[in-house]
Amino acid sequence: MKSQTHNAHPSIAAWGDTLKPGMKAVAISRDLLKKGISHNTPIKIDGMDGIYLVKDKMHSRHRNNMDLYMGTDVQKAIEFGRQQKTIWYGVPKKK
């Protein structure tokens, strides 16, 4: 969404990836970089199917936080809301 980005291209993530609906992607708070989570780190999220890849960084005001990319479906994001989940990172992607 254009209102949530720092430039006029909301589908271009912080590391230059183009986000497309259907991708399993997350944005991380910048403090998680110090824990070894970075661009394309695979993430397993408790209760969710598949492996997500880190594709974006959040504003520096966020701490210990992640955002799931939900494409252009704002209603789906609102319904999902804020949730506390356990994650595992550095999980190898299935071939």
Side-chain angles (χ1 to χ4, degrees):
M1 179 175 273
K2 191 173 184 176
S3 65
Q4 296 179 344
T5 186
H6 69 280
N7 62 35
H9 303 286
S11 62
I12 305 297
W15 280 289
D17 297 285
T18 299
L19 300 176
K20 298 175 186 164
M23 289 178 76
K24 289 187 179 274
V26 298
I28 60 166
S29 57
R30 293 166 191 261
D31 62 315
L32 295 178
L33 294 166
K34 295 175 190 165
K35 295 186 177 190
I37 302 174
S38 186
H39 184 236
N40 284 329
T41 298
I43 305 275
K44 174 70 178 140
I45 303 169
D46 188 35
M48 305 197 67
D49 292 332
I51 301 294
Y52 291 73
L53 294 178
V54 174
K55 294 292 184 183
D56 205 0
K57 294 181 268 189
M58 300 168 71
H59 189 279
S60 60
R61 72 177 173 266
H62 296 286
R63 296 281 179 260
N64 199 33
N65 212 330
M66 284 180 22
D67 271 348
L68 292 175
Y69 174 64
M70 295 195 173
T72 58
D73 194 340
V74 175
Q75 187 59 40
K76 180 179 174 184
I78 290 169
E79 290 171 8
F80 186 82
R82 280 183 80 129
Q83 297 185 20
Q84 189 169 357
K85 298 277 190 182
T86 300
I87 68 163
W88 296 268
Y89 60 92
V91 178
K93 293 189 292 186
K94 290 183 180 179
K95 294 179 182 179

